[in-house]
Amino acid sequence: MSMQFNKFSKKPDSKTAFVLIEGEAIFTPTLYLLNPIYIHKRSPAFSLVSKGKHVSGFFPLGGGTFIGDHDKKALILFQRDLGFDLFKTDLDPVTAKSLLLNGDLNGQLFEAREKASLYQKL
C-alpha cells in the first residue's frame, strides 16, 4: 500500500488558505478548504480546492478526522489547531474508512509521516 503525507498550516491573514510545511506536495503547495455553498443531508463538511479547482469533498469520521477521494483513491484529513494533515492512499475510500476506524491503518499513517519528515531533512 502506498501513502503520501502533507502537513499544512494556515496562511496568515487568510480564512481558507493553507500552505505546505512538510512533505512533497500531493497537489500544490497552497490548498484551500471551503464550506459548501449549498447544504443538504449528503453535503460534505468542506471541499478541498487546488488552483481554483475542486479536488474533493470531505465527510466527517469523528474526532477531527475526515475522508474524501481523488481519482477513486482515499484522502484522509486530520484537523489540527492551525492547519491539517493530509494523506493520499492507493485504497478506495470505503476500504480506507473501515481500516481507519479499526486502527489497522495507524502503522502506515505513521510511516508516511516519518518518510515526509526525512524528505524535509534532505
Side-chain angles (χ1 to χ4, degrees), residues 4-35 46-58 69-70 75-78 80 82-88:
Q4 294 175 279
F5 168 74
N6 283 171
K7 185 176 193 172
F8 287 88
S9 181
K10 192 168 201 85
K11 192 173 187 177
D13 302 326
S14 176
K15 292 182 180 180
T16 60
F18 294 83
V19 291
L20 180 68
I21 59 173
E22 190 175 325
E24 188 175 356
I26 296 170
F27 300 108
T28 57
T30 302
L31 294 177
Y32 300 86
L33 295 181
L34 305 175
N35 292 326
F46 52 86
S47 293
L48 182 70
V49 176
S50 173
K51 292 187 178 180
K53 297 189 183 205
H54 173 81
V55 174
S56 179
F58 281 87
D69 73 322
H70 178 71
L75 295 173
I76 303 167
L77 187 142
F78 295 96
R80 292 181 293 103
L82 295 173
F84 61 90
D85 295 343
L86 179 67
F87 294 87
K88 183 177 181 181

Side-chain angles (χ1 to χ4, degrees), residues 63-79:
T65 305
F66 297 84
I67 194 158
D69 73 322
H70 178 71
D71 293 336
K72 299 181 182 177
K73 304 297 180 194
L75 295 173
I76 303 167
L77 187 142
F78 295 96
Q79 283 187 325

Side-chain angles (χ1 to χ4, degrees), residues 105-122:
L105 210 52
N106 293 346
Q108 288 85 355
L109 295 172
F110 180 77
E111 287 174 16
R113 275 192 177 112
E114 288 294 309
K115 184 178 175 184
S117 66
L118 288 175
Y119 173 81
Q120 286 301 113
K121 292 177 183 176
L122 295 177

